[in-house]
Amino acid sequence: MSGDWYGTHQNDFVVPPMPSAPPPAPADGARAVAVAVLNLSGLGLGYALVRKWLPMVACWVATVVLLLVALPADPDGIPGFALILYVLFLLAAAAHGAIVGLRTRLAWPPRAPLALALGLVLLAVPAGGVVLYDSARDEAVEQMLLDRLDEADQLVAAGGKQPFSTAQTDYRKALTVYRDLRTDHAGSRAADQVPDRMKTFYTTVGATYGNGDYCDAIPPLTYLRTVPKSMSGTDLGDLATWPDDRLATSLYECASDELAGGEATWTNRFGDLLTTFPESEQAAKVEPAVASAIGTAEKDVRGDEPCAAVERLGTLGSQIEGLPGEKAGIAQALAKDAQRAQGSADSGTYTCGVDQYKDGDFEAAQTTMTEFVAAHKNNKNSALAKKIAIAAEIAQTVPAAGKRLPTTRSGGSISVTVKNDSPDEITVLYTGPVTGSFTLKACGSCKTYSLSSTLALGFDPCSDSGKKYPQRTISLPTGTTYFVHKPKNDSISSPGSDTAKLESGYIYTECAYTTEGLGTGSS
């Protein structure tokens, strides 16, 4: 019986099963904080100490992705969304690590305080990374600014190979870069190089002055004087006044060349010089240059082209009157120059008319001399000018009358009577050894002759004894005298003419009549 009990007792003994995992560790706040802090390093070390390998790998992946996004360092920095996502991920990893570490024993180190100390030390890794990244980013910014500086330098260099009008846009772009570097990025390596670049900028833009191209140098030098306004907040030093003397010289030299060449733009150059730099050495030379030009034109009046010189003097007089005079002395001297030029032009008109007459331009000579007489009645040449105007008018109908220049001679030994057999008042012009003109009243009882009647045999105007013809007798010397008579009101198209060879011992009669549709005639 006892054996049966023993067997039954042996069969009822059971070995308890082994647990699948160690029991949870007691809650430990220090450990939870240590795991959380270690996870904030971005390396997942908190997970490594509690043997959570998958979350640790996730931390590595997130950190690698951030590095791929952040490197190489960009002047704009890490994209904001990427940085925000990474920070949120670290916070989540820290929170999750704290939860896991609260009841999970550490694989190493065995004590939570030591792990916490390690975690605090390892926070230097991301902090150091931030410092290094900021340094790399600063260098990237410096390189970016240096690249901008280089691009601006290239614009200036390219502009120096082009006309200023073409390059001006590039110059403005480069100037904007220089200004922004100096004002918005003061202290950068690029900003520190701007002063030297500005020296190059000025010498490049103003290079035409150095080449002696004074007219071409005016626009770029004028532009350079506006640069200080564009570079507000930037100390240009001596460059601010660098263009002034060069521009004054260019204005003077260019205007002097244009004045000598007869170009109208010289007044604008001298005007700008007198207005912009009234106290300059160059401004003081304006009046002597103008006076010299007047003297040259006055000499030319006695040359081969007196009419061109007279026109030049008249133009100079008008142009000089338009010049500004900031200084009283210069203004007064220029006013005298204007009067001198106009006076020389007026007196030179006579010489011009003589030249026109000699060249056979009788219409121009008549106009010139008529205007001269009207404007200079008391001039010593007025009497002869009036006779030249008469001879020039006759020569337009009878070219042979213009072979010789008239003289002031008057009178003669031969009587010539001129009668008017015309219903129009007529002007009689004559030239030869003696030149003059007079007017005959209209013949009230006379009529205009038809062409056929003037061609008929026996046609003899001024022969009707029953009519009282208006007439005048003049005394002329021997030789050839050319007559032209025309209605005083110029009502007919062609004046009548006659060439008389006067000899001693004869009495001569000239008769003026009007032919219907043809003009006047004489016999």
Side-chain angles (χ1 to χ4, degrees), residues 175 178-180 182-184 226-236:
L175 200 61
Y178 293 149
R179 180 195 61 207
D180 292 345
R182 197 68 175 168
T183 56
D184 298 342
T226 68
V227 169
K229 297 179 182 178
S230 303
M231 296 291 287
S232 57
T234 301
D235 183 13
L236 293 174

Side-chain angles (χ1 to χ4, degrees), residues 337-417:
D337 288 336
Q339 294 175 355
R340 172 189 167 190
Q342 194 58 58
S344 297
D346 291 342
S347 61
T349 302
Y350 171 79
T351 305
C352 170
V354 171
D355 186 69
Q356 290 171 331
Y357 187 92
K358 290 181 177 180
D359 289 344
D361 191 353
F362 300 119
E363 183 177 1
Q366 178 190 354
T367 301
T368 298
M369 289 306 193
T370 301
E371 292 176 351
F372 176 80
V373 171
H376 306 86
K377 294 181 179 180
N378 298 322
N379 188 280
K380 64 179 183 179
N381 293 317
S382 291
L384 183 54
K386 184 175 182 180
K387 291 183 179 293
I388 294 175
I390 293 172
E393 185 172 4
I394 296 172
Q396 292 176 60
T397 301
V398 187
K403 290 182 178 180
R404 295 180 180 177
L405 194 69
T407 66
T408 55
R409 179 181 177 183
S410 62
S413 59
I414 300 174
S415 294
V416 178
T417 300

Side-chain angles (χ1 to χ4, degrees), residues 164 202 205-209 214 216-226 242-248 250:
F164 174 73
Y202 271 74
V205 175
T208 48
Y209 173 84
Y214 296 113
D216 291 339
I218 292 174
L221 290 173
T222 301
Y223 165 73
L224 285 176
R225 295 188 77 240
T226 68
W242 186 89
D244 292 354
D245 185 70
R246 291 169 172 80
L247 178 56
S250 297

Side-chain angles (χ1 to χ4, degrees), residues 142-219:
E142 288 284 359
Q143 290 299 323
M144 177 192 69
L145 297 179
L146 289 171
D147 289 342
R148 290 183 186 176
L149 181 66
D150 183 64
E151 291 174 359
D153 295 342
Q154 292 179 22
L155 288 175
V156 174
K161 301 175 182 178
Q162 299 174 337
F164 174 73
S165 57
T166 303
Q168 191 170 3
T169 300
D170 287 342
Y171 287 147
R172 287 199 179 98
K173 291 179 181 178
L175 200 61
T176 300
V177 173
Y178 293 149
R179 180 195 61 207
D180 292 345
L181 288 174
R182 197 68 175 168
T183 56
D184 298 342
H185 303 281
S188 65
R189 297 201 300 271
D192 291 342
Q193 297 181 44
V194 168
D196 287 337
R197 295 306 196 274
M198 289 305 302
K199 294 178 182 178
T200 303
F201 180 86
Y202 271 74
T203 55
T204 301
V205 175
T208 48
Y209 173 84
N211 297 332
D213 301 329
Y214 296 113
C215 291
D216 291 339
I218 292 174

Side-chain angles (χ1 to χ4, degrees), residues 37-269:
V37 171
L38 284 167
N39 279 352
L40 286 177
S41 67
L43 301 176
L45 295 179
Y47 286 130
L49 296 185
V50 294
R51 299 173 300 279
K52 299 296 183 183
W53 312 117
L54 187 60
M56 181 187 70
V57 172
C59 289
W60 290 355
V61 171
T63 300
V64 169
V65 170
L66 178 67
L67 292 175
L68 292 175
V69 172
L71 298 177
D74 186 87
D76 294 330
I78 302 174
F81 74 91
L83 189 59
I84 292 173
L85 289 177
Y86 185 71
V87 170
L88 292 176
F89 176 81
L90 289 183
L91 293 176
H96 181 256
I99 295 172
V100 173
L102 183 64
R103 293 187 178 276
T104 304
R105 289 184 175 85
L106 299 177
W108 183 92
R111 295 180 181 180
L114 184 58
L116 178 59
L118 178 62
L120 292 174
V121 171
L122 290 177
L123 284 179
V125 174
V130 170
V131 172
L132 292 174
Y133 181 81
D134 285 343
S135 177
R137 183 186 173 213
D138 290 342
E139 180 60 26
V141 171
E142 288 284 359
Q143 290 299 323
M144 177 192 69
L145 297 179
L146 289 171
D147 289 342
R148 290 183 186 176
L149 181 66
D150 183 64
E151 291 174 359
D153 295 342
Q154 292 179 22
L155 288 175
V156 174
K161 301 175 182 178
Q162 299 174 337
F164 174 73
S165 57
T166 303
Q168 191 170 3
T169 300
D170 287 342
Y171 287 147
R172 287 199 179 98
K173 291 179 181 178
L175 200 61
T176 300
V177 173
Y178 293 149
R179 180 195 61 207
D180 292 345
L181 288 174
R182 197 68 175 168
T183 56
D184 298 342
H185 303 281
S188 65
R189 297 201 300 271
D192 291 342
Q193 297 181 44
V194 168
D196 287 337
R197 295 306 196 274
M198 289 305 302
K199 294 178 182 178
T200 303
F201 180 86
Y202 271 74
T203 55
T204 301
V205 175
T208 48
Y209 173 84
N211 297 332
D213 301 329
Y214 296 113
C215 291
D216 291 339
I218 292 174
L221 290 173
T222 301
Y223 165 73
L224 285 176
R225 295 188 77 240
T226 68
V227 169
K229 297 179 182 178
S230 303
M231 296 291 287
S232 57
T234 301
D235 183 13
L236 293 174
D238 294 340
L239 290 177
T241 57
W242 186 89
D244 292 354
D245 185 70
R246 291 169 172 80
L247 178 56
T249 299
S250 297
L251 288 170
Y252 174 78
E253 295 294 342
C254 179
S256 297
D257 291 343
E258 292 175 338
L259 177 60
E263 299 179 42
T265 49
W266 70 269
T267 56
N268 297 332
R269 315 296 191 191

